[in-house]
Each structure stands twice: as C-alpha cells, then as structure tokens.
C-alpha cells in the first residue's frame, strides 16, 4: 500500500513543480510598462481619423533631421517571421523586419523605378546585358567591415549557392565581377531592362568577413547588415529588437532609438495591444475592428487599396475549352452581368475599389478606366449575339473561406449570372484541394481567385496569363506578345504604352470577370510619424519616428 | 505489474506508429504540398522554380518512397526541414516546446488549485452555497469557448484595466491570462468529477465506520475520502494535461505565445508539412507519455492493479 501521504505528495509536487517551472522562465527582456502607465484613450467627437498613406519615394538624406534617435517604436507583425534576412523571407512581414537591419543595392521607389541606395548608381549597357554598379564609399557594416565591391560579389555568390535554404532567384545573372574597389558588373544571360527594379532593388548586401567567421546558419540567427538598426535580440515566435545604428550612412536616420517587432497573428489581439499601448503600429485589421477605433483620439486609422485583384477566371486550357466561355461576347456578358459595386457595398461596406484589369491604380503603367458597368440587359443581348439567348449551364469553383467573405462573393456572382440566364453550379472546395487543382489546371471553366503584386504588375500578369503561368488557365498569344514587349524595353514611355495596350486588350477580350481590390486596414498611435506603407503593405522603418511630448 | 506496464508501453508505441502513418497520408490528401506552398500568389513563381523546389524537398519521388524515407528518418527524430524556416522541424519544435510546457503546467496548477478544493467542498456539503457555486463554475467552464474567453479577458484586463499584457511571454504576469484560459477547459470537468467521487466515497462502509469511531472530520476527509476519490481524478488529470497541449493551439494564437501550438497553427496556414508532421508526433508523444505515467501512478495508488487482481 502506498503511504497515507502519497496522494497529497502527488498533488503538492505537481503544483509546486508547475510554479517552479513558471518561475524559472526567462527573465523579462522588454515590458510595455511605460505604455501601460499611459491614460486610456478617450472617445471623441472628432471626425474619422482615416487617411491614405503617402507613397514612399527614394529616401532623402537630411543632415538637419533629428540629431538623436529618441524613443522605442513597437510594431506588431501579423506572423512569426521565419528570417531576418530578406533573401530568406517567406512573406512580407519578414521582409519588412529585414529592412531594419539591411539595405539593398538600389531602392525600389513607388513609381516602379530603382533609385540610388547602397549603390550611388547602376547603369545598364546599351543592350541591357551588363549592369555596372558603383557603391557608396561611406558605408560600413554593423561590425565595422567596409561595404565594397567584394561584399557585393560575395553576396551574390552566397545567395546563389543552392546549399542554402532559400537561394535568391537572381536567375538572370551569369556572373558578377569586381571592376575596382567600389564597382561591380552584373553580367546577365539575356537583355533585361527591368533588372535594376526586379533584382538589384532587392539584393541586400551581406558582410563577407562576418559570415566567413561565424557561418551562414549562425549569421541567420545573429545578422549583421548596413541597415538603420543593429540586431539586439530575436526570440522566435515572440519578438525581434534592434537598436539605432549610430553610424548609419543615411544621415539623420533612424529617428528612434530602439525598434521592436512583436509577432501577433490574431488580429483582435493586435488591436488590443494597440489600444492598451503595448504597440504603436498594427496592420491587417478586419473592417469591423477598424471601425471600433476610428473615433479614438490618440489612434489613427490608415486605409488604402491593396495591390491584389480578385476575379472570376475563365479556363480555356482544359475544362472550359469546349464551353461557351470561349466566345468573347460571353465573357463580356458575364462582366456586364455582375453588380460589383453592390457586392462591395453589401459585403465590404464599400471598402474596396472596383477592379478594371490586372493593372491596379497603384501600379506602374495604369490607365484609368471605368471598366464594365452593371448592365444586365446588355449582358443578355451579348449572350443572344453569341448564340445563347436562353443562357447556359456551367460549373464554377470557389476556394472555401480562403479569403474574406469569398463564399458570399461567389454566391452573389452565381446569383447575378443566374439573372441573365447563366446557371452556375458552384462548388466550394477546401482551399488545399482547390489550389492543387488550380496548379494542375483542373478547375472548372469558371473559378474565383485573387493575385497580388508589388507596384509592378508584370509579376501578376505573367503568373496569371503568361506562357509559364502557374495558377491560371488562360492562354492568349496577344497577351504574351505584350508581356514580352514590356520585358524587352527599358524605356518607361514604351512600357506605359504597352501596358495601355494590354489593359485595352484585357478589357475588350476579358480573360476574367474583374471584381475588386480590397482595402486594407491598419492603425497607428497618433505619435507615430512618417508611416507610409505601399500598396503591397511594405514600409521602411528607417524613416519612422515618434513625436516627442 | 511488470507485464501490465510492458503491455502498456507496447500499446503506446503502436499508437505512435499509427499516428505517424495517419499524419503522413492525411496531409497528402489535402493536396500536393509544393502546389499548396506557392498558392498565395504573393509573387510569380515559374514552373521551373516550382519543380526545382519539389525535387529539393524530395516530393518528386513516388509516394511509397517518400513514406519509407519519412518513416525511416522519423525514428531518428528527423522530420525534414521546415519549408518556411529552412531549419530542421524538430529543432524548431524543441525551441518552442519548453514554452508550451510551462504554460500547460501553470494552467494545470491553476486548474487543480481551483477545482479540487471546490469539488471536495461541494461533495462534502451537497446543496450548500459552495456546492451551488462549484456546479455553476463547472457548467460555465464547460460551456465557455476558450477562444471567446481569451478575447474577453484581453479586453477587460489588458485594454480596459491595463493590469495585464495582452500578448507575449516575457515575465510572470504574461502567464496569467493565457494560463487561466487554458485552465478553464479542464476546471469544470475536474470539479464535477471530484464532487461525484467524494459523494460516492462518502457512501462507503469504511467512512461510516470512521464516523462511528468518532474520527475528526479533517482526518476522514483528507485521509480516507480524498485518497480514495483520487483514483479517477488522476486519470482525468493526465488526460487534461494532454488536452492542454492540444488546447495551446488556440490559446497561444490568441495571446501570441511563442510555443508549439502557435508554431503548428502557422504551419497549417502555410502548409508546412514537416512541421505539422513533427508537431503531431511530438504532441502525441507527450499525451501518450502522460497517459503511460498516469498508469504507472495508478499502480502505486491502487494495489489491485499492482497485484494483477
């Protein structure tokens, strides 16, 4: 028999052990006590504090900017980042964090051009097969190593190494060679007038000596760059902290003494953290959450359309090639059949922009257009002209709950199509199965999806309609010719002209029913200055500051 | 007893093997992992890049070969590299496991501190104020969704009162809200079980004998009642600890807790198969181990099991 005290011993040990284990947890590294001590935000009668952010242009060096970085800026990221190094970043949240510690060779300006950054200039050869970059001479890494041509060559070679987890795409580059101490040549496989924007603007330069000393894996854990903040601490799944780089090459920056990224994936928790003063910037709120803070005086709501287009895609490669959707008039009719504004008003409270093609208002080459209006009579007429006066029946797939309100959107579309005589059999598929079939091009003749971009729509257009498309099912040689033309020129006027032609084609012979571009909702404390996210949600932390009382 | 324990160990190994098998095939039913990985359409990825990735991860091999490789490596704790992190899945889990265990243990401590005294009081004095209170708390606990409660507690204690932080894990005060929510799920069941076990034991002849001998209440309740009522409780506590590990998925997500639950939550979103497989195995290992431990403890407390009666 066990002793009489065994039961109590068991419970006591369990309880004491639990308390001890908790008590032995890591010591506090940062606490939001200062923020907690602030007054609760008071409701106000003031008008809605909603604003669209200004576009970030190439950074301007300001000698007279804030002399001493002040305060601690806390940013809630929506996911646990996988890496602090840009080449390894699995999503935009990690890319944003990497911008605190690294700088790229060129700066991707919001107008789709690449501006000087770590390189004073990068000039293409006449045939766009060689880019010669001249690096700044006043930049040192956080550990004191100089930034020079050797560092650039090392970076390219390191990131092209297939043995590292995420070899950087840079597929265009045949070789990179040092010309002199501060000049490098990028030799390309084929002419590429977009190489400066698509690649050089994203090559963050790495420190050769440091990586050789500690190894690649250790570097990923404790990175050293040229960026505005020095790496201080990264607790996986919890937070990442950087302190102001006193030797930052961009004079007058950064504006804050310390920056902390907190990884909070639940949007209501992010909102609570902002309201309780634990963080200063939060992103990706739902519309309902955003509405709860629009009248709060010390918080500011930031909203803008995302560079993401939602659409109903037509499939002319497999399941749809023998169906009515092959006819242009039918696809036009289905565009006229949907009251998109009513969908936006009813399901998104008006918080989305109408989409007119795969080029959005924030993209380079955008041409303003009214797009298709809601005109069911015209839709019926076009269907009759196409030989379907009584309509037809067709299948449509939707990724079940994969996007905000997407199931309701699909049902609404089915209803609108039905009103003009097109009976749609909607199948809501588990999103994993859906995307698998989408990649295999086995979805029905109609399917609903969306595609993102980053200010330069060529990625989206190539992905959705190009010859090497991955997740769409439409082929039109005229579109491919225009994509090739856009890729082949470095002349911005010609680029704009080709984009204009492409948008006209995508309107007149639509491969999609264009739906909407949703707004994103973000919020900041009113003390935050210079917060200017792009339509792809990127923002640069070096320019962020805090107003001092 | 030895035979009983050996049987239980073999049963546990069989369960773990079954889980390895199930997780592998269930995940593949959801679709091609490589196609799913690039489906967010954040950027254009060419078919060449997709195929290169497929090859580098071994997903180009026949399913049977993939399964044999997976099974063989799983025995050494190697579940492959995370798609997203590019690091061994098991390393990522072991980094986060202590955090989850700390939270679960703290949650269990809260649950036991609340449920056992209340359950005993309710069982000893049925119909009293404490009985009503305990039953109401038990009912509330069992019917309140953890997810909802977590958000409500954040609004009250973090946003309105500003007594506690809404997220993070930096110090002791960060444990209070998530551990309380985690504790809630098991508290109701434990209160009810303690209450019914105490009520049942109080009807036994040996308690009547003890009462007739004039023993003090304290001695009867603590030496005789609680000890005999503990048998079913130990089983349920073991199961509750397993429940807390699985419940950590929601709680860690709400409170941005850097543990294993959050890791798998994000892995599911990102279709990170190696992490999902490794977490499923690790969580199962913990639950199976706790159950095995419960059985061992049981044999010490109940001699009928020890002597094979």
């Amino acid at each position: 028999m066990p002793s009489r005290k065994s039961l109590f011993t068991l419970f006591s040990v369990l309880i004491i052990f639990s308390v001890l284990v908790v008590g032995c947890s890591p010591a506090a590294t940062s606490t939001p006590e200062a923020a907690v001590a602030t007054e609760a935000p008071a409701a106000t009668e003031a008008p809605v504090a909603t604003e669209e952010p200004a576009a970030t242009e190439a950074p301007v060096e300001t000698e007279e900017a804030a002399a001493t970085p002040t305060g601690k800026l806390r940013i809630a990221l929506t996911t646990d980042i996988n890496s602090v190094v840009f080449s390894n970043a699995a999503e935009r949240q990690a890319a944003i964090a990497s911008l605190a510690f690294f700088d790229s060779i060129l700066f991707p300006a919001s107008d789709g051009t690449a501006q000087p950054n770590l390189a004073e200039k990068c000039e293409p050869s006449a045939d766009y097969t060689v880019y010669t970059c001249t690096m700044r001479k006043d930049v040192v890494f956080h550990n004191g190593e100089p930034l020079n041509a050797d560092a650039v060559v090392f970076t390219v070679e390191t990131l092209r190494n297939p043995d590292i987890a995420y070899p950087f795409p840079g597929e265009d580059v045949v070789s990179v060679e040092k010309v002199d101490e501060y000049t490098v040549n990028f030799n390309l496989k084929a002419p590429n007038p977009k190489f400066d924007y698509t690649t050089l603007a994203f090559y963050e330069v790495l420190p050769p000596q440091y990586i050789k000393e500690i190894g690649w894996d250790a570097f990923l854990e404790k990175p050293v760059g040229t960026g505005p903040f020095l790496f201080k601490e990264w607790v996986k799944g919890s937070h990442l902290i950087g302190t102001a780089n006193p030797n930052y090459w961009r004079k007058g920056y950064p504006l804050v003494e310390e920056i902390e990224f907190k990884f909070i994936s639940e949007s209501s928790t992010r909102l609570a953290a902002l309201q309780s003063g634990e963080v200063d910037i939060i992103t990706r709120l739902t519309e309902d959450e955003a509405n709860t803070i629009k009248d709060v005086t010390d918080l500011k709501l930031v909203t803008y359309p995302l560079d993401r287009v939602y659409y109903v895609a037509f499939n002319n490669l497999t399941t749809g090639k023998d169906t009515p959707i092959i006819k242009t008039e039918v696809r036009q009719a289905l565009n006229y059949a949907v009251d998109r504004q009513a969908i936006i008003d009813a399901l998104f409270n008006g918080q989305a922009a109408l989409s007119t093609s795969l080029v959005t208002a924030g993209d380079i080459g955008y041409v303003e257009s009214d797009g298709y209006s809601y005109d069911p009579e015209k839709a019926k007429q076009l269907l009759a002209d196409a030989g379907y006066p009584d309509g037809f029946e067709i299948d449509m797939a939707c990724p079940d709950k994969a996007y905000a309100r997407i199931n309701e959107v699909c049902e609404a579309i089915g209803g609108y199509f039905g009103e003009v005589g097109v009976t749609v059999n909607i199948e809501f598929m588990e999103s994993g199965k859906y995307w698998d079939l989408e990649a295999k091009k086995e979805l029905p003749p109609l399917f609903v999806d969306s595609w993102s971009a980053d200010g330069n729509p060529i990625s989206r257009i190539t992905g959705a309609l190009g010859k090497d498309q991955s997740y769409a099912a439409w082929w039109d040689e005229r579109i491919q010719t225009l994509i090739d033309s856009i890729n082949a020129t470095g002349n911005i006027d010609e680029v704009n002209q080709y984009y204009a032609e492409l948008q006209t084609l995508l309107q007149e012979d639509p491969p999609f029913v264009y739906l909407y571009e949703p707004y994103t909702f973000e919020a900041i404390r009113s003390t935050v200055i210079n917060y200017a996210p792009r339509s792809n949600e990127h923002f640069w932390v070096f320019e962020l500051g805090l107003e001092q009382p | 007893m030895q035979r009983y324990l050996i049987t239980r160990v073999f049963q546990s190994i069989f369960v773990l093997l079954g889980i390895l098998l199930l997780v592998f095939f269930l995940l593949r039913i959801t679709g091609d992992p490589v196609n799913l990985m690039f489906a967010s359409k954040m950027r254009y990825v060419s078919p060449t890049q997709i195929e290169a990735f497929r090859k580098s991860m071994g997903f180009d091999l026949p399913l049977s070969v993939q399964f044999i490789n997976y099974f063989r490596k799983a025995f050494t704790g190697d579940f492959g590299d995370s798609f997203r992190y590019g690091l061994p899945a098991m390393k990522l889990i072991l980094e986060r496991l202590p955090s989850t265990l700390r939270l679960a243990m703290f949650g269990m401590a809260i649950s036991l501190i609340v449920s056992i005294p209340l359950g005993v009081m309710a069982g000893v004095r049925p119909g009293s104020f404490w009985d009503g209170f305990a039953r109401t708390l038990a009912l509330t606990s069992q019917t309140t969704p953890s997810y909802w409660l977590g958000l409500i507690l954040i609004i009250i204690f973090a946003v309105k009162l500003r007594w506690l932080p809404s997220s993070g894990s930096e110090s002791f005060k960060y444990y209070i809200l998530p551990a309380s929510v985690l504790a809630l799920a098991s508290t109701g069941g434990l209160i009810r079980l303690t209450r019914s076990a105490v009520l049942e034991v109080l009807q036994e002849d040996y308690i009547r004998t003890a009462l007739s001998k004039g023993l003090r209440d304290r001695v009867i309740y603590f030496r005789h009642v609680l000890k005999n009522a503990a048998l079913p409780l130990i089983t349920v506590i073991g199961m509750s600890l397993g429940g807390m590990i699985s419940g950590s998925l929601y709680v860690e997500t709400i409170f941005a807790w850097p543990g294993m639950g959050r890791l798998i939550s994000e892995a599911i979103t990102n279709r990170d198969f190696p992490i999902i497989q490794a977490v499923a195995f690790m969580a199962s290992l913990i639950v199976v181990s706790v159950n095995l431990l419960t059985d061992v403890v049981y044999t010490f407390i109940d001699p009928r099991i020890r002597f094979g009666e």
Side-chain angles (χ1 to χ4, degrees), chain A residues 344-357:
Chain A
I344 290 171
D345 291 342
L347 297 177
F348 300 98
N349 214 10
Q351 300 296 312
L354 287 173
S355 187
T356 55
S357 78

PDB file of all heavy atoms in Angstrom, chain A residues 344-357:
ATOM      1  N   ILE A 344     -19.550  45.078 -53.280  1.00  0.00           N
ATOM      2  CA  ILE A 344     -18.613  45.812 -52.402  1.00  0.00           C
ATOM      3  C   ILE A 344     -19.375  46.499 -51.272  1.00  0.00           C
ATOM      4  O   ILE A 344     -18.980  46.449 -50.110  1.00  0.00           O
ATOM      5  CB  ILE A 344     -17.809  46.840 -53.232  1.00  0.00           C
ATOM      6  CG1 ILE A 344     -16.831  46.110 -54.161  1.00  0.00           C
ATOM      7  CG2 ILE A 344     -17.071  47.816 -52.323  1.00  0.00           C
ATOM      8  CD1 ILE A 344     -16.140  47.019 -55.168  1.00  0.00           C
ATOM      9  N   ASP A 345     -20.513  47.122 -51.637  1.00  0.00           N
ATOM     10  CA  ASP A 345     -21.283  47.836 -50.616  1.00  0.00           C
ATOM     11  C   ASP A 345     -21.871  46.875 -49.589  1.00  0.00           C
ATOM     12  O   ASP A 345     -21.837  47.140 -48.389  1.00  0.00           O
ATOM     13  CB  ASP A 345     -22.410  48.642 -51.275  1.00  0.00           C
ATOM     14  CG  ASP A 345     -21.855  49.815 -52.081  1.00  0.00           C
ATOM     15  OD1 ASP A 345     -20.684  50.194 -51.838  1.00  0.00           O
ATOM     16  OD2 ASP A 345     -22.571  50.337 -52.954  1.00  0.00           O
ATOM     17  N   ALA A 346     -22.432  45.767 -50.101  1.00  0.00           N
ATOM     18  CA  ALA A 346     -23.128  44.852 -49.191  1.00  0.00           C
ATOM     19  C   ALA A 346     -22.172  44.019 -48.351  1.00  0.00           C
ATOM     20  O   ALA A 346     -22.408  43.815 -47.165  1.00  0.00           O
ATOM     21  CB  ALA A 346     -24.046  43.931 -50.002  1.00  0.00           C
ATOM     22  N   LEU A 347     -21.103  43.564 -48.953  1.00  0.00           N
ATOM     23  CA  LEU A 347     -20.223  42.622 -48.242  1.00  0.00           C
ATOM     24  C   LEU A 347     -18.988  43.280 -47.631  1.00  0.00           C
ATOM     25  O   LEU A 347     -18.408  42.756 -46.691  1.00  0.00           O
ATOM     26  CB  LEU A 347     -19.781  41.496 -49.184  1.00  0.00           C
ATOM     27  CG  LEU A 347     -20.906  40.596 -49.715  1.00  0.00           C
ATOM     28  CD1 LEU A 347     -20.359  39.570 -50.703  1.00  0.00           C
ATOM     29  CD2 LEU A 347     -21.609  39.880 -48.561  1.00  0.00           C
ATOM     30  N   PHE A 348     -18.585  44.425 -48.200  1.00  0.00           N
ATOM     31  CA  PHE A 348     -17.374  45.065 -47.683  1.00  0.00           C
ATOM     32  C   PHE A 348     -17.625  46.484 -47.201  1.00  0.00           C
ATOM     33  O   PHE A 348     -16.687  47.267 -47.042  1.00  0.00           O
ATOM     34  CB  PHE A 348     -16.273  45.052 -48.760  1.00  0.00           C
ATOM     35  CG  PHE A 348     -15.887  43.672 -49.195  1.00  0.00           C
ATOM     36  CD1 PHE A 348     -16.418  43.110 -50.341  1.00  0.00           C
ATOM     37  CD2 PHE A 348     -15.031  42.904 -48.426  1.00  0.00           C
ATOM     38  CE1 PHE A 348     -16.079  41.824 -50.736  1.00  0.00           C
ATOM     39  CE2 PHE A 348     -14.685  41.617 -48.810  1.00  0.00           C
ATOM     40  CZ  PHE A 348     -15.218  41.076 -49.962  1.00  0.00           C
ATOM     41  N   ASN A 349     -18.909  46.797 -47.024  1.00  0.00           N
ATOM     42  CA  ASN A 349     -19.264  48.128 -46.528  1.00  0.00           C
ATOM     43  C   ASN A 349     -18.645  49.233 -47.379  1.00  0.00           C
ATOM     44  O   ASN A 349     -18.248  50.281 -46.872  1.00  0.00           O
ATOM     45  CB  ASN A 349     -18.801  48.258 -45.077  1.00  0.00           C
ATOM     46  CG  ASN A 349     -19.734  49.114 -44.276  1.00  0.00           C
ATOM     47  OD1 ASN A 349     -20.829  49.457 -44.750  1.00  0.00           O
ATOM     48  ND2 ASN A 349     -19.306  49.507 -43.093  1.00  0.00           N
ATOM     49  N   GLY A 350     -18.505  48.976 -48.650  1.00  0.00           N
ATOM     50  CA  GLY A 350     -17.954  49.981 -49.564  1.00  0.00           C
ATOM     51  C   GLY A 350     -16.443  50.082 -49.548  1.00  0.00           C
ATOM     52  O   GLY A 350     -15.864  50.889 -50.283  1.00  0.00           O
ATOM     53  N   GLN A 351     -15.792  49.253 -48.712  1.00  0.00           N
ATOM     54  CA  GLN A 351     -14.336  49.391 -48.524  1.00  0.00           C
ATOM     55  C   GLN A 351     -13.543  48.521 -49.500  1.00  0.00           C
ATOM     56  O   GLN A 351     -12.817  47.603 -49.107  1.00  0.00           O
ATOM     57  CB  GLN A 351     -13.965  49.045 -47.089  1.00  0.00           C
ATOM     58  CG  GLN A 351     -14.631  49.910 -46.045  1.00  0.00           C
ATOM     59  CD  GLN A 351     -14.207  51.361 -46.157  1.00  0.00           C
ATOM     60  OE1 GLN A 351     -13.036  51.667 -46.265  1.00  0.00           O
ATOM     61  NE2 GLN A 351     -15.171  52.267 -46.145  1.00  0.00           N
ATOM     62  N   ALA A 352     -13.693  48.782 -50.781  1.00  0.00           N
ATOM     63  CA  ALA A 352     -12.889  48.106 -51.811  1.00  0.00           C
ATOM     64  C   ALA A 352     -13.004  48.939 -53.074  1.00  0.00           C
ATOM     65  O   ALA A 352     -13.955  49.708 -53.248  1.00  0.00           O
ATOM     66  CB  ALA A 352     -13.394  46.688 -52.047  1.00  0.00           C
ATOM     67  N   ALA A 353     -12.016  48.807 -53.937  1.00  0.00           N
ATOM     68  CA  ALA A 353     -12.035  49.549 -55.207  1.00  0.00           C
ATOM     69  C   ALA A 353     -12.463  48.596 -56.324  1.00  0.00           C
ATOM     70  O   ALA A 353     -12.169  47.394 -56.265  1.00  0.00           O
ATOM     71  CB  ALA A 353     -10.640  50.092 -55.491  1.00  0.00           C
ATOM     72  N   LEU A 354     -13.165  49.141 -57.311  1.00  0.00           N
ATOM     73  CA  LEU A 354     -13.553  48.314 -58.451  1.00  0.00           C
ATOM     74  C   LEU A 354     -12.315  47.992 -59.269  1.00  0.00           C
ATOM     75  O   LEU A 354     -11.474  48.851 -59.500  1.00  0.00           O
ATOM     76  CB  LEU A 354     -14.556  49.068 -59.330  1.00  0.00           C
ATOM     77  CG  LEU A 354     -15.972  49.217 -58.781  1.00  0.00           C
ATOM     78  CD1 LEU A 354     -16.778  50.131 -59.671  1.00  0.00           C
ATOM     79  CD2 LEU A 354     -16.636  47.853 -58.692  1.00  0.00           C
ATOM     80  N   SER A 355     -12.243  46.761 -59.715  1.00  0.00           N
ATOM     81  CA  SER A 355     -11.090  46.352 -60.495  1.00  0.00           C
ATOM     82  C   SER A 355     -11.429  46.436 -61.981  1.00  0.00           C
ATOM     83  O   SER A 355     -12.541  46.103 -62.387  1.00  0.00           O
ATOM     84  CB  SER A 355     -10.752  44.921 -60.102  1.00  0.00           C
ATOM     85  OG  SER A 355      -9.567  44.545 -60.703  1.00  0.00           O
ATOM     86  N   THR A 356     -10.466  46.885 -62.776  1.00  0.00           N
ATOM     87  CA  THR A 356     -10.751  47.021 -64.206  1.00  0.00           C
ATOM     88  C   THR A 356      -9.884  46.117 -65.069  1.00  0.00           C
ATOM     89  O   THR A 356     -10.214  45.854 -66.216  1.00  0.00           O
ATOM     90  CB  THR A 356     -10.540  48.482 -64.658  1.00  0.00           C
ATOM     91  OG1 THR A 356      -9.219  48.886 -64.308  1.00  0.00           O
ATOM     92  CG2 THR A 356     -11.546  49.398 -64.008  1.00  0.00           C
ATOM     93  N   SER A 357      -8.776  45.676 -64.524  1.00  0.00           N
ATOM     94  CA  SER A 357      -7.936  44.716 -65.247  1.00  0.00           C
ATOM     95  C   SER A 357      -6.938  44.153 -64.246  1.00  0.00           C
ATOM     96  O   SER A 357      -7.160  44.272 -63.041  1.00  0.00           O
ATOM     97  CB  SER A 357      -7.206  45.382 -66.420  1.00  0.00           C
ATOM     98  OG  SER A 357      -6.105  46.118 -65.957  1.00  0.00           O
TER      99      SER A 357
END
